[in-house]
Amino acid sequence: MSALWSFFVEPFAYDFMQRAVLVAVLVGAVSAALSCFLVLKGWSLMGDAISHAVLPGIVLAFLLGLPLALGAFAAGLFSALATGYLKEHSRVKEDTVLGIVFSGMFAVGLVMFVKVETEQHLTHILFGNMLGVTAADVLETAIVAGITLLVVLLKRRDFVLYAFDPQQARVMGLNVRLLHYGLLVLLSLTVVASLQAVGIILVVAMLIAPGATGFLVTRTFGRMLAVAMAVAIGSSLLGTFVSFHIDAATGPCIVLIQTAVFLLALFFAPRTGLLMRRLGHVPELPSAPSRQ
Amino acid sequence: MTRLSPEVPDEAWRLDRVRPALEVNDVTVAYPNGTVALRNASFRLAGGTIAGLVGVNGSGKSTLFKAIMGFVTPARGSVGIAGMAVPEALKRSLVSYVPQSEEVDWDFPVLVEDVVTMGRYGHMGFFRIPSARDKQLVAEALERVGMSDFRKRQIGELSGGQKKRVFLARALAQEGRIILLDEPFTGVDVKTEQAIVELLRELRASGHLVLVSTHNLGSVPEFCDQVVLVNRTILAAGPTAEVFTQANLERAFGGVLRHFHLEGADLHDDSDRRRVTVLTDDERPVVFYGEPGPDRSDEPERDR
Amino acid sequence: MIELLAPFEYDYMVKAMWVSGLVGAVCAFLSAYLMLKGWSLVGDALGHAVVPGVAGAYMLGLPYSVGAFFAGILAALSMVLVRQRTKLREDAIIGIIFTSFFALGLLMVSLWPASVNIQSIIMGNVLGISDADALQVVIIALVSLAILILKWQDLMLVFFDESHARTVGLNPLMLQVLFFTLLAACIVAALQTVGAILVIAMVITPGATAYLLTDRFRTLLLLSVGFGAVTAASGAYISFFLDGATGGVIVSLQTALFLLAFFLAPKHGRLAARRRATEVEELP
């Protein structure tokens, strides 16, 4: 019992840990929400792409003295638009275009960085800096995550329909284009919010694992969302504490705990888990919608 | 799998000596998720034939093709091609396959002549360098389908009918003795459709075995001399006149066909009392003149 | 003017340019296929998934490619396993596996920072490549190139029309396995030049650029290999003057070349398309 105490409560005495915990909860919640849509829509590559494409935006913002979050958001959006444009006007496949755009932008960002900053800062942007967040960072994250979460939760039915059946959505009079770009905007915002916690490199993990875990153990979207959030927030918190104790980078700790939870779900989930299948219980599997 | 013919040395299996034959023996194919796509399928076809493979989507037609091409291994039963097991036959390039248009990536950077040359790969050596004969066969195949002028075009630039011709040319260049065509008439213009039928007749005349998977019912009696009706198993197989009947078709398609009965005074004004039945799968319909309907000759003529 | 020749005076630079050029060439060869199939995610995943293997190998004093390969095989097997068991989409499965592996690698490095340089793995370090590592890269690249030159047509056939490939006696499964093995090998080689994150560019961008310039697959291959080799070698060269960020420079060059082709390609480029559109409008 006292081990638990020393694990959780002692570090909490520190200011930076309190801030880290706050960020962990915020980032966990918002990335879990987006991750549900990404998993349903097959947008893992998109999440990967936007999370990398933000780098030149960050560097540019730094050079111009603007808030880094703004630069990141602009770059993320730009990459989505650029991909759309290039795909529209050439015969190159969409996934290929995505790969070219985001790797190209990331490369440019790296080159710019070399001329600009110290190694230290690059490391934080790439890998996160949960244990070093300032109060201002927390505020920024709260605002971005808050807005995003609000929009997602308010419009979630429309987004779910769009994710499952875009044709139906169109037929029902929903503005599919708006939903599409809206989702991309929200994705960019989520990436921006999560940078603090896990950095560019591992944001994509936060955008896939929670949703995937939710998908394995539930059948309705509402429950999937709830499970995803619980998993994400839980792993963020646990990961933060673990990294504090073993003196390792926070990002990887969070991601690995999320993976462990996913594996647990894979093996033990009541309806769809491997264990139940082994025991001869062959259930109806919920199926992911066909690729749009 | 025992050979249909007695033991013969390898040279005897040179392409010009091979008698094409297809033997499907009690084939059952099940997919990993448990569905049984085809059950106890059996039929035989010999060269010098155009056979129509008729059934709805999901009837097991494509599964049958996959079994013939070695894509799936039957859980039970066997497929014999020219007396050999499928892998051996494929190694000898005995089977040519003309795909459905939907399956092809038309953006692939290949020219018309590249695609036709691909038909020769089975005959090329390790380094895949086309010989003079390979090039000649490619040229002849292109000529035969009327696509010589389009040799250097990228395949995406062609019309529907032209695209189909390119893949026919490939099948010809391959010198396969058994030609499989998957829904060859979808999306082609009438002129190309006639050209295709013409070509198939030529192939039949030269001893090839042509198997056409189609749901264009109206065309089947026109050029198929044999028919294989598929609905998860082989409902019937044999000469068209015997097998391609209204009763069989209704069994094959279940309730999925559009069914029109026209009879008596509604149809025409003469003494021909036969009932006309039109069956269609939304492609060209087939029309049967059948049993006479109930005698309505006592009723006054109706105005049309 | 003389300064521009400076890199050629240094052994390590000449070595870096040769190694980069070779790696660029063979990755570009593969990119012709990958980009046609849209397999960006797989390329990205492989690059990230091998990181724990590389980190582990360095820590244990083994050749880095051995560790990388080991990690790559493990990742591939995990993907296949998870795929068998769930209805989770392909891209989500790939995403979870590779990000977890990558996180593991980062964790290892963060716990034992002395034994391995994180920057080298993530961002590449061909300018400082050891002779032992350079040798591994060259061997992998040359062997892969040889196999690809022999088998490029068969691979093209399998990726274009798998059914037809069977009917001419090819074994599509074996060829696909061969392809992905070569891909894994070349990605391992490319780690040294551009690092885990940018590897994806090497295996899709040159091919995509060539795709905008020709309709013939063989020409596409030649162009792609040319672009890959030249951009990689030049990138190494230029990074001498920037004192680092070789990977960033190489990929930026490749992307720039792609954009040039996108706009200016004679037949498939944007400007050409607009010209054609206005010509049609101007018809009487």
Side-chain angles (χ1 to χ4, degrees):
Chain A
M1 205 56 219
S2 78
L4 226 61
W5 182 265
S6 63
F7 190 82
F8 281 113
V9 180
E10 274 180 13
F12 209 72
Y14 296 99
D15 272 359
F16 70 83
M17 272 311 275
Q18 290 167 12
R19 289 194 290 269
V21 162
L22 222 52
V23 170
V25 171
L26 288 166
V27 167
V30 71
S31 62
L34 259 301
S35 123
C36 289
F37 292 109
L38 258 66
V39 165
L40 288 177
K41 253 203 123 356
W43 271 14
S44 298
L45 183 61
M46 186 71 84
D48 198 13
I50 295 195
S51 66
H52 286 74
V54 297
L55 183 62
I58 292 177
V59 179
L60 209 56
F62 180 82
L63 289 174
L64 297 175
L66 294 169
L68 301 188
L70 195 60
F73 174 68
L77 211 51
F78 173 76
S79 74
L81 293 172
T83 303
Y85 177 77
L86 289 174
K87 183 196 116 189
E88 193 80 34
H89 297 287
S90 78
R91 59 183 188 171
V92 183
K93 292 213 165 34
E94 174 163 17
D95 281 8
T96 301
V97 172
L98 255 174
I100 295 177
V101 168
F102 91 71
S103 60
M105 287 180 71
F106 191 80
V108 167
L110 280 183
V111 174
M112 284 162 67
F113 213 99
V114 162
K115 308 302 286 165
V116 166
E117 254 303 292
T118 67
E119 295 259 314
Q120 182 70 316
H121 227 105
L122 180 63
T123 319
H124 287 160
I125 294 178
L126 290 181
F127 304 111
N129 184 23
M130 190 80 116
L131 299 181
V133 290
T134 65
D137 294 332
V138 176
L139 189 60
E140 201 174 273
T141 307
I143 294 176
V144 175
I147 296 177
T148 311
L149 215 46
L150 202 64
V151 175
V152 169
L153 290 176
L154 284 179
K155 297 293 277 175
R156 75 176 182 282
R157 291 211 171 74
D158 285 1
F159 281 127
V160 170
L161 182 57
Y162 170 61
F164 265 105
D165 193 347
Q167 320 290 20
Q168 176 72 357
R170 188 177 290 131
V171 160
M172 280 178 54
L174 296 181
N175 187 339
V176 172
R177 253 185 116 78
L178 191 61
L179 287 172
H180 178 83
Y181 284 105
L183 208 50
L184 286 174
V185 166
L186 293 171
L187 180 55
S188 303
L189 286 172
T190 308
V191 167
V192 168
S194 311
L195 286 178
Q196 291 287 3
V198 289
I200 287 182
I201 311 295
L202 290 172
V203 165
V204 59
M206 307 280 294
L207 291 169
I208 304 180
T213 311
F215 180 81
L216 284 183
V217 300
T218 67
R219 284 174 170 219
T220 67
F221 184 77
R223 295 219 191 110
M224 183 175 166
L225 194 55
V227 169
M229 287 216 189
V231 167
I233 295 176
S235 354
S236 298
L237 286 174
L238 194 57
T240 309
F241 282 99
V242 166
S243 73
F244 172 84
H245 284 290
I246 66 174
D247 196 25
T250 319
C253 292
I254 295 178
V255 173
L256 288 170
I257 292 176
Q258 269 181 359
T259 309
V261 174
F262 172 78
L263 289 173
L264 279 173
L266 194 60
F267 279 97
F268 295 115
R271 266 175 289 208
T272 62
L274 280 161
L275 195 61
M276 292 311 286
R277 303 238 223 131
R278 279 274 160 68
L279 298 177
H281 175 78
V282 182
E284 271 294 318
L285 291 173
S287 50
S290 51
R291 180 121 210 196
Q292 200 248 323
Chain B
M1 169 77 207
T2 52
R3 292 205 158 173
L4 294 179
S5 344
E7 281 303 297
V8 278
D10 234 41
E11 306 83 65
W13 294 109
R14 268 181 52 221
L15 293 167
D16 51 341
R17 304 257 196 96
V18 169
R19 290 244 192 82
L22 181 62
E23 202 178 279
V24 176
N25 274 324
D26 199 32
V27 164
T28 299
V29 177
Y31 285 113
N33 64 3
T35 44
V36 179
L38 207 55
R39 198 186 288 275
N40 304 115
S42 292
F43 64 91
R44 282 178 190 216
L45 292 169
T49 299
I50 301 179
L53 190 63
V54 177
V56 293
N57 290 329
S59 59
K61 276 191 302 179
S62 40
T63 306
L64 195 52
F65 266 21
K66 285 185 189 166
I68 297 173
M69 286 192 291
F71 258 120
V72 297
T73 318
R76 272 207 304 272
S78 62
V79 176
I81 299 179
M84 300 174 230
V86 166
E88 262 189 82
L90 294 179
K91 255 192 234 115
R92 288 176 168 60
S93 249
L94 288 176
V95 178
S96 292
Y97 175 66
V98 178
Q100 288 192 53
S101 300
E102 298 78 50
E103 291 168 4
V104 180
D105 179 4
W106 299 105
D107 286 329
F108 214 85
V110 280
L111 307 179
V112 165
E113 62 182 15
D114 294 332
V115 173
V116 180
T117 308
M118 285 184 199
R120 298 297 306 160
Y121 274 29
H123 304 282
M124 291 187 203
F126 185 74
F127 293 99
R128 303 283 185 231
I129 303 176
S131 66
R133 181 157 189 273
D134 291 326
K135 295 188 192 162
Q136 187 197 348
L137 285 169
V138 166
E140 282 173 11
L142 281 167
E143 187 62 44
R144 204 163 162 194
V145 300
M147 290 293 290
S148 299
D149 291 338
F150 294 85
R151 281 186 79 120
K152 303 279 185 189
R153 296 272 187 95
Q154 193 262 336
I155 53 176
E157 297 169 15
L158 307 173
S159 72
Q162 289 170 336
K163 287 176 178 172
K164 194 57 70 167
R165 291 176 199 237
V166 171
F167 284 85
L168 278 168
R170 184 182 74 179
L172 289 173
Q174 192 179 345
E175 294 186 300
R177 299 294 281 167
I178 297 177
I179 325 262
L180 304 174
L181 293 104
D182 207 341
E183 306 285 354
F185 301 116
T186 355
V188 301
D189 52 279
V190 174
K191 191 154 153 259
T192 305
E193 185 179 321
Q194 287 171 348
I196 294 177
V197 172
E198 181 66 38
L199 184 63
L200 297 184
R201 289 195 176 124
E202 286 172 23
L203 288 170
R204 170 174 59 190
S206 52
H208 291 77
L209 165 55
V210 177
L211 187 54
V212 180
S213 169
T214 180
H215 59 190
N216 187 331
L217 301 178
S219 63
V220 169
E222 263 182 27
F223 68 96
C224 297
D225 45 82
Q226 306 253 344
V227 170
V228 177
L229 283 175
V230 186
N231 192 352
R232 304 258 155 187
T233 185
I234 306 299
L235 294 174
T240 311
E242 284 171 28
V243 171
F244 203 67
T245 63
Q246 186 179 333
N248 276 345
L249 277 177
E250 284 170 1
R251 273 171 65 212
F253 283 76
V256 188
L257 284 181
R258 296 194 204 286
H259 225 133
F260 303 103
H261 289 294
L262 301 166
E263 53 189 317
D266 293 324
L267 183 62
H268 40 197
D269 200 4
D270 56 28
S271 55
D272 187 348
R273 290 281 153 222
R274 284 179 301 167
R275 177 202 283 177
V276 172
T277 306
V278 177
L279 297 177
T280 172
D281 191 12
D282 280 336
E283 294 271 330
R284 215 177 107 201
V286 62
V287 178
F288 291 103
Y289 284 91
E291 293 286 290
D295 191 4
R296 295 237 172 94
S297 53
D298 299 332
E299 292 180 16
E301 273 185 26
R302 282 190 224 138
D303 289 321
R304 264 183 295 272
Chain C
M1 195 59 211
I2 309 295
E3 279 110 51
L4 286 177
L5 293 175
F8 295 99
E9 291 168 26
Y10 297 93
D11 271 352
Y12 81 89
M13 275 309 297
V14 174
K15 181 172 69 173
M17 288 190 280
W18 272 109
V19 169
S20 302
L22 191 55
V23 167
V26 71
C27 286
F29 204 120
L30 291 165
S31 79
Y33 300 95
L34 263 148
M35 70 88 196
L36 274 177
K37 305 295 275 182
W39 285 340
S40 301
L41 191 59
V42 174
D44 200 25
L46 273 172
H48 286 68
V50 298
V51 168
V54 172
Y58 276 135
M59 285 177 198
L60 297 172
L62 294 169
Y64 93 96
S65 48
V66 168
F69 234 156
F70 182 66
I73 303 285
L74 216 62
L77 283 174
S78 318
M79 287 186 212
V80 168
L81 245 101
V82 175
R83 186 174 182 219
Q84 293 263 19
R85 316 293 189 197
T86 75
K87 277 219 168 185
L88 205 54
R89 253 188 223 273
E90 188 96 34
D91 64 308
I93 295 177
I94 296 179
I96 293 204
I97 303 285
F98 92 70
T99 51
S100 317
F101 271 64
F102 190 66
L104 180 63
L106 290 182
L107 186 69
M108 287 161 73
V109 169
S110 113
L111 288 174
W112 300 288
S115 54
V116 63
N117 186 348
I118 184 85
Q119 301 283 23
S120 305
I121 301 180
I122 311 296
M123 249 98 64
N125 185 24
V126 71
L127 296 191
I129 192 173
S130 71
D131 283 341
D133 285 349
L135 186 62
Q136 291 172 52
V137 171
V138 169
I139 292 177
I140 294 175
L142 287 176
V143 170
S144 304
L145 213 47
I147 297 177
L148 284 169
I149 291 175
L150 281 176
K151 287 290 183 190
W152 72 268
Q153 280 154 299
D154 290 358
L155 285 170
M156 170 185 73
L157 193 48
V158 167
F159 288 140
F160 174 58
D161 190 344
E162 199 176 316
S163 307
H164 177 70
R166 294 194 139 260
T167 66
V168 295
L170 296 179
N171 186 338
L173 186 62
M174 290 314 302
L175 283 164
Q176 282 160 350
V177 167
L178 176 66
F179 179 80
F180 281 103
T181 310
L182 289 174
L183 180 63
C186 294
I187 283 181
V188 168
L191 280 178
Q192 293 284 0
T193 9
V194 294
I197 305 182
L198 290 173
V199 138
I200 180 182
M202 302 276 275
V203 292
I204 60 171
T205 313
T209 311
Y211 185 38
L212 293 173
L213 296 170
T214 174
D215 283 333
R216 199 147 209 183
F217 194 75
R218 200 181 74 164
T219 316
L220 196 160
L221 275 178
L222 290 169
L223 284 175
S224 180
V225 169
F227 291 151
V230 167
T231 50
S234 321
Y237 169 82
I238 293 174
S239 66
F240 172 83
F241 301 100
L242 294 177
D243 200 24
T246 318
V249 176
I250 293 177
V251 172
S252 300
L253 284 176
Q254 290 186 337
T255 311
L257 206 55
F258 172 78
L259 289 172
L260 270 176
F262 173 81
F263 285 108
L264 301 177
K267 187 173 164 196
H268 297 289
R270 184 82 188 105
L271 293 182
R274 292 184 97 177
R275 214 182 310 120
R276 281 196 296 269
T278 50
E279 274 166 15
V280 169
E281 277 166 34
E282 282 163 13
L283 284 175

